[in-house]
Amino acid sequence: MKRRRMMAATIGSAATLAAIAALVTVGGPASANQQPTPTVVQQQAVLHQVSDKLPKSPAQAGRWIADGKLMVAVTNEAEAAKVRQAGATPKLVSRSQAQLDALLAKVDKITRADRGSGLQSWGIDPVSNKVVVRARGAYGALRGLGDGVQVVQVSTQVEQQAGEVNPGDPWWPGSETYCSVAFPATDAQGNKFFVTAGHCTNDADQAAYGAINQANKLGTSNVGGTHSINAREGDMGVVAVTESGWTLSPNVNTYGSPAVTVSGSADAIVGDAVCHSGNTAPNWECGTVTAINQSINYGNVTVDGLTTTSACSEGGDSGGAWLRGDKAVGLHSGGNSSCVQGDAGNSIFQPINEALAKWNLTLLTGTPDPGGDTQAPTTPGNPRSTGTTSDSVSLAWDASTDNTGVTGYDVYNGSTLATSVAGTSATVSGLSADTSYSFTIQAKDAAGNKSPASAVVTARTQPGGPSGGRTFANGTDFPIRDYQTAVSPIRSTATGRASSPFQVTVEGNHTCLEDLNISVVSPSGRWYYLQRYGGATCHPLPASKTYTVTPTGSENAAGTWTLRIGDNGPGDTGTLTNWSIAL
């Protein structure tokens, strides 16, 4: 059902004032903890329209809503007339906003020097036209500031409240550094939990907090020592949410953008556009699944069954939420210490369904707000052809932006969807030789919003049969450093299937071949090891070494092939100077 359109009368007109009067609810606004009625919500929206149209002035001293009216504190009758004309209600006061600000500055200076005397809060109250200080007991330090400062005695003590557990929120295991929440869940008895990374929950019966310095206790991590795994089986753990005041939410924290409401869980496949939320900037990042069911060697532990992606992440994102659209797919496990451009293994996650099944938990889900994220990404800019063969066209464009994050792009050949990609380039294959084609690109976000189509790119394939060259190379130098991984991509435009076997030639230098893990990753995300770490005696990496690789199943030749050289030993460095692949 479409929402009713708000009144379009000019703010300040008689029609608007009559509409406001008609909306006033007898008895005033809703009481505390009561959901505002649609009428009250609409009334407030109209009053905010009035406020937005009313310019601020030195003769004003604050605004508030009371009894269905927009109230404005004013210091003279001329300003009161302007307020009435705008459709608001003026209230004559003795102190201007500047005078209140000056008083607040004096109060703030005194209270900052003495915060141990039962102080609870202080600030400007526009209704009383005073600076109001709340304290437990009398607070004589403010005597002498005049009747513009009012001390209100209170008997309660405020403390940091609890709140919601949202996917992507931070949490603190004991006194350790923070991790991130993956997804809230419940057990058969309705008890509350959230799943996160196993390396964040390795200590049995450890207190879990919602704030730094062991504040805002949430509950207990790894209850009984049976709710955490960080081994070959997986990287997953559970925190029991037991403290009063904490509720669970299916709304993913996107850090300033509209939340994504989790509607269920799913398994990811290679090529999926995914996003993750965690507590380290930039917090909300998107990319593409590059491989699934991978065994990852973290140095101190090897974990099987993990998924790799091209999205960036940083320390502190551990345990955070991974999504495919509004479906939960994983718990953040690890990645590079910093984002590496073009690295297909930037970030790694543990599939969520395995964690839910392990501890017999039910994922908390909700119904997405249809009025939530409705903003489409911007149109992809500067679309262009970057190359052609007799049966393919390569395209590139400038990245779009979005309020929640662009998750991918759809490339259209005329009106037909040709391919979908996560990045800002694509190759459309299977075309006819010596033929003109027209392409457009649309960006999309996690909520399914799509941008307008880009400008049309027209390109003509080359004449003749398939391209003759099937060897591709990358001659950029990449340093090979101790305990780091050099990553070098190659974009293949060859058509059809890769040959079986195919050949990879590595050129460079390194003083200890036995320190190196060398692998090539296919466009499908499969890893092929060319050289494995190990050996008691060091031999230098040959200046040029060719490896013959037999694919596991069939591999498409077209796409990005990535060479990875990981140095697993100390004291030996080198350089990857060139590598090539013959497909």
Side-chain angles (χ1 to χ4, degrees), residues 501-504 529-530 546-550:
F502 59 86
Q503 290 188 330
V504 176
Y529 279 94
L530 312 180
T546 298
Y547 301 88
T548 300
V549 182
T550 300

Side-chain angles (χ1 to χ4, degrees), residues 97 118 341 461:
Q97 186 67 50
Q341 186 67 30
T461 53

Side-chain angles (χ1 to χ4, degrees), residues 377-392:
T378 59
T379 305
N382 191 27
R384 55 202 181 273
S385 171
T386 57
T388 62
T389 68
S390 60
D391 60 355
S392 70

Side-chain angles (χ1 to χ4, degrees), residues 15 66 101 124 158 202 242 333 348 358 385 523 537 553:
D101 290 340
I124 293 172
V158 296
N202 54 317
T242 56
S333 176
I348 303 161
K358 174 72 178 179
S385 171
T537 304

Side-chain angles (χ1 to χ4, degrees), residues 296-353:
I296 304 296
N297 179 8
Y298 284 127
N300 62 320
V301 65
T302 298
V303 183
D304 295 334
L306 300 182
T307 300
T308 62
T309 76
S310 63
C312 289
S313 62
E314 301 287 349
D317 286 331
S318 289
W322 281 88
L323 295 134
R324 189 198 71 202
D326 60 6
K327 295 291 191 296
V329 292
L331 331 173
H332 187 75
S333 176
N336 291 310
S337 58
S338 60
C339 295
V340 179
Q341 186 67 30
D343 186 356
N346 257 327
S347 299
I348 303 161
F349 67 79
Q350 159 74 47
I352 186 176
N353 283 333

Side-chain angles (χ1 to χ4, degrees), residues 6-64:
M6 293 294 293
M7 283 174 263
T10 303
I11 299 300
S13 69
T16 299
L17 298 178
I20 294 173
L23 288 171
V24 172
T25 304
V26 175
S31 60
N33 300 320
Q34 179 182 343
Q35 182 71 20
T37 66
T39 299
V40 171
V41 172
Q42 186 181 13
Q43 171 190 329
Q44 291 185 162
V46 174
L47 294 177
H48 277 283
Q49 289 183 46
V50 174
S51 181
D52 291 343
K53 294 289 185 179
L54 177 62
K56 292 185 178 181
S57 162
Q60 296 177 17
R63 306 176 185 192
W64 65 98

Side-chain angles (χ1 to χ4, degrees), residues 397 408-412 417-421 440-444 450:
W397 53 89
Y409 299 86
D410 290 337
V411 179
Y412 288 87
L417 179 64
T419 187
S420 296
V421 295
T440 54
I441 303 101
Q442 282 185 290
K444 54 189 178 182
K450 286 192 172 185

